[in-house]
Amino acid sequence: MKNMLEERKGRMKTILGVGICLVSTLLFMFSYILVNHHTKVIDITSIPIIETNENRVLYIEEVSTDKDGVLYVTAATKNTDINYNYYNWVLGGGNNVYKKASILLVDKEEKNAYKLKTYPYAFNSKDDSVSDELCTGDGVLAYGNVKMLKEDSRKVAVLFEDREGNSYVLYPKEEYYIDEK
């Protein structure tokens, strides 16, 4: 009788352990999908627009889609106006550009924009039309869902952010639109 009770307790603990693992796995998967497949729409009416010059550049290299409906934007960005002093225990002190940029798809009224998932990318130009300054690896690779383009074509821009939380929108020298086709 005692063996049967211990055996039943062991099975209950095993079932409880498997259940806890299953619930935690489902919660993790739900949070992963929520974070990584969420399209963020931001209001850009209050964000200042900065002008393109030799210190601030956006160059769109390529826009493509794949068979699964994922939109990819490869670009090079530069904004040397946002820089900070740093101290590295190996190299000592210095000053460097702060590189936090996100690709935006802006609507025609320039009120709302989709903020794409944007990651640093070792940019190398495919042709000679890009200056050597932008070919130093200061590229970004952004991706999003093609469904963002169903309503209308979108203008491409970049959102620069600094450490204090200030944001700035920069459009390329020549307007660049993406549509569903």
Side-chain angles (χ1 to χ4, degrees), residues 117-156:
K117 295 273 185 195
T118 308
Y119 298 97
Y121 175 72
F123 179 79
N124 286 321
S125 179
K126 294 180 179 177
D127 57 17
D128 294 332
S129 64
V130 182
S131 69
D132 289 336
E133 288 179 7
L134 283 176
C135 291
T136 59
D138 293 336
V140 291
L141 176 64
Y143 70 91
N145 196 329
V146 174
K147 292 179 184 175
M148 294 180 284
L149 304 173
K150 291 226 184 253
E151 300 165 9
D152 210 351
S153 64
R154 305 276 178 186
K155 189 189 297 189
V156 179

Side-chain angles (χ1 to χ4, degrees), residues 44-166:
I44 62 168
T45 54
S46 61
I47 300 174
I49 297 172
I50 54 178
E51 298 294 321
T52 300
N53 64 21
E54 65 275 352
N55 295 333
R56 301 179 293 243
V57 179
L58 169 61
Y59 171 75
I60 289 85
E61 174 80 350
E62 182 180 16
V63 175
S64 61
T65 58
D66 65 9
K67 61 180 167 90
D68 296 325
V70 178
L71 172 74
Y72 296 98
V73 178
T74 307
T77 62
K78 181 177 91 166
N79 187 355
T80 58
D81 293 340
I82 304 174
N83 54 36
Y84 293 96
N85 293 326
Y86 67 88
Y87 183 80
N88 183 313
W89 68 277
V90 175
L91 302 175
N95 189 299
N96 206 355
V97 176
Y98 189 69
K99 299 177 184 178
K100 185 171 181 188
S102 301
I103 298 294
L104 299 177
L105 297 181
V106 182
D107 63 3
K108 283 189 177 179
E109 294 84 28
E110 295 185 9
K111 292 183 180 182
N112 294 317
Y114 288 111
K115 185 176 179 181
L116 301 179
K117 295 273 185 195
T118 308
Y119 298 97
Y121 175 72
F123 179 79
N124 286 321
S125 179
K126 294 180 179 177
D127 57 17
D128 294 332
S129 64
V130 182
S131 69
D132 289 336
E133 288 179 7
L134 283 176
C135 291
T136 59
D138 293 336
V140 291
L141 176 64
Y143 70 91
N145 196 329
V146 174
K147 292 179 184 175
M148 294 180 284
L149 304 173
K150 291 226 184 253
E151 300 165 9
D152 210 351
S153 64
R154 305 276 178 186
K155 189 189 297 189
V156 179
V158 65
L159 178 72
F160 290 109
E161 298 172 79
D162 62 16
R163 293 190 309 198
E164 290 80 26
N166 301 316

Side-chain angles (χ1 to χ4, degrees), residues 8-27:
R8 184 176 272 182
K9 265 187 179 178
R11 275 192 249 148
M12 289 299 284
K13 285 182 180 180
T14 303
I15 291 171
L16 184 62
V18 169
I20 290 172
C21 287
L22 183 64
V23 168
S24 62
T25 301
L26 290 174
L27 286 174

